[in-house]
């Protein structure tokens, strides 16, 4: 059997956050059952192809907007077609999960919840257009634990308008006092096509020194609280890393279903267009090829340097026949500047290096030449 991660995109939201550029639509409850039925029909077409699901991830949008019955319908179909995954994650809005619903999901086989907390400061949540309060976020996490979830994650947003080191410290203190095993902390970006894409927001999110301070504060605080950084934006207690997201960063295969969902399968990158109607009308047959040729050494560097464990230059040389005559001096310079570290035969970015990872990756790729 061939292992793969399975991603299900739920393209519905109660309200669109002003910073979000993921594909989502107003909640459109009249479409929910049709969408669940269409997804299940598409999933059934993969039956008997010798694929075993290692992980299952419901993202969005706001997956927790759907009733538990529809979420379980889709989950059960995945399990029938691909077998039972080790990790079954639901992204959830803290204001859309009652204790009763959480219990149904846990009893039905979901074993991980990722809450979009973003902040535990009232004013920062308002700036982000979030519909929940700090108290609702804390209550949702406690209720999920009461419902039987021990694998709980929380998303945080850094460099929010008005955020200070003091307000971030309070959020981190309150968050790590809760029964969560994993934290994802992302620097706010003003994405094209969103309401946040204004000169003022661009200036704020590109304020390098402020972003640097808040990011490094988060890394330090979480490490001291027992959350080990294992990727640019992800931290976990020992053994509680996101198995699904690790598949992406380790270059493993995954299949995505639903509008805007991406796949990496048999050496190709594929996606469904950002169009719910087209997905429904075509019954999920409108998937497109994004890339048919993947550059393996480039992929290894791009993905591997996201991870705290980094990459092996020796493996690049031996597996992909890359010359290291320019790469090794470049890496030594990065190490001297505190942007990289060398341990156990691997090079890895430090927290300071993660802040400029794009530039380092581009430069390193330029240094790699055929041997």
């Amino acid at each position: 059997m061939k292992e793969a991660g399975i991603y299900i995109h739920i393209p519905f939201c109660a309200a669109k956050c002003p910073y979000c550029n993921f594909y989502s639509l107003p909640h459109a409850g009249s479409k929910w059952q049709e969408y669940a039925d269409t997804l299940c029909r598409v999933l059934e077409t993969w039956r008997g192809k010798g694929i075993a699901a290692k992980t299952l991830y419901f993202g969005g949008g706001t997956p927790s907007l759907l009733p538990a019955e529809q979420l379980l319908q889709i989950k059960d179909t995945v399990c029938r077609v691909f077998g039972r995954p080790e990790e079954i994650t639901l992204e959830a809005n803290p204001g859309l999960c009652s204790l009763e619903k959480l219990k149904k999901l846990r009893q039905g086989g979901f074993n991980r919840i990722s809450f979009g907390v973003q902040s535990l400061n009232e004013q920062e949540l308002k700036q982000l257009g979030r519909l929940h309060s700090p108290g609702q976020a804390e209550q949702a996490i406690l209720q999920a634990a009461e419902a039987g979830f021990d694998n709980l994650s929380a998303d945080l947003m850094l460099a929010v308008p008005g955020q200070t080191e003091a307000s971030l410290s309070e959020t981190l203190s309150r968050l790590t006092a809760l029964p969560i095993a994993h934290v994802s902390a992302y620097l706010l970006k003003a994405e094209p096509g969103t309401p946040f894409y204004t000169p003022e927001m661009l200036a704020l999110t590109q304020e390098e020194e402020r972003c640097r301070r808040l990011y490094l504060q988060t890394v330090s605080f979480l490490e001291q609280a027992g959350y080990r950084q294992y990727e640019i934006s992800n931290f976990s207690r020992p053994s509680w890393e996101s198995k699904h997201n690790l598949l992406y960063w380790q270059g493993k295969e995954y299949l995505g279903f639903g509008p805007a969902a991406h796949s990496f399968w048999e050496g190709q990158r594929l996606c469904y267009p950002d169009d719910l109607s087209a997905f429904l009308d075509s019954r999920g047959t409108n998937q497109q090829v994004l890339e048919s040729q993947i550059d393996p050494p480039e992929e290894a560097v791009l993905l591997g340097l996201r991870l705290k464990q980094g990459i092996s230059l020796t493996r690049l040389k031996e597996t992909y026949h890359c010359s290291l005559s320019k790469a090794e001096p470049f890496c030594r310079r990065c190490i001297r500047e505190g942007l990289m570290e060398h341990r156990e035969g691997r090079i890895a970015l430090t927290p300071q290096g993660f802040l400029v990872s794009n530039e380092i990756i581009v430069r390193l790729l330029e240094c790699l030449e055929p041997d």
Side-chain angles (χ1 to χ4, degrees), residues 5-62:
I6 306 297
Y7 173 79
I8 304 293
H9 190 72
I10 305 298
F12 308 111
C13 278
K16 186 77 168 178
C17 296
Y19 57 85
C20 179
N21 70 335
F22 292 111
Y23 177 66
S24 64
L25 302 165
H27 59 83
S30 61
K31 295 283 187 182
W32 293 351
Q33 190 60 59
E34 180 186 3
Y35 184 61
D37 292 342
T38 301
L39 274 174
C40 290
R41 282 194 293 269
V42 175
L43 289 164
E44 288 285 358
T45 66
W46 288 80
R47 187 190 291 272
K49 295 190 178 181
I51 304 166
K54 183 172 179 63
T55 59
L56 171 58
Y57 194 101
F58 285 71
T62 308

Side-chain angles (χ1 to χ4, degrees), residues 302-352:
L302 281 170
L303 298 175
L305 283 183
R306 290 185 63 98
L307 292 168
K308 187 73 172 175
Q309 69 181 31
I311 60 174
S312 166
L313 289 180
T314 302
R315 183 174 181 273
L316 285 176
K317 178 179 175 64
E318 294 176 350
T319 305
Y320 305 118
H321 309 291
C322 296
S323 169
L324 303 180
S325 60
K326 294 181 180 178
E328 288 179 330
F330 171 72
C331 291
R332 285 196 292 270
R333 187 163 68 251
C334 287
I335 291 169
R336 288 196 300 272
E337 294 172 359
L339 303 175
M340 273 186 188
E341 54 189 357
H342 184 274
R343 60 177 185 276
E344 299 177 357
R346 305 176 73 87
I347 58 162
L349 297 182
T350 63
Q352 290 84 356

Side-chain angles (χ1 to χ4, degrees), residues 81-93:
V81 173
F82 300 105
R84 187 178 183 82
E86 297 174 21
E87 177 187 89
I88 304 177
T89 301
L90 179 78
E91 285 185 354
N93 184 313

Side-chain angles (χ1 to χ4, degrees), residues 236-251:
S236 74
R237 296 197 182 279
S239 302
W240 293 97
E241 297 89 351
S242 167
K243 291 184 173 69
H244 184 81
N245 287 336
L246 277 173
L247 289 177
Y248 298 154
W249 302 320
Q250 292 171 347

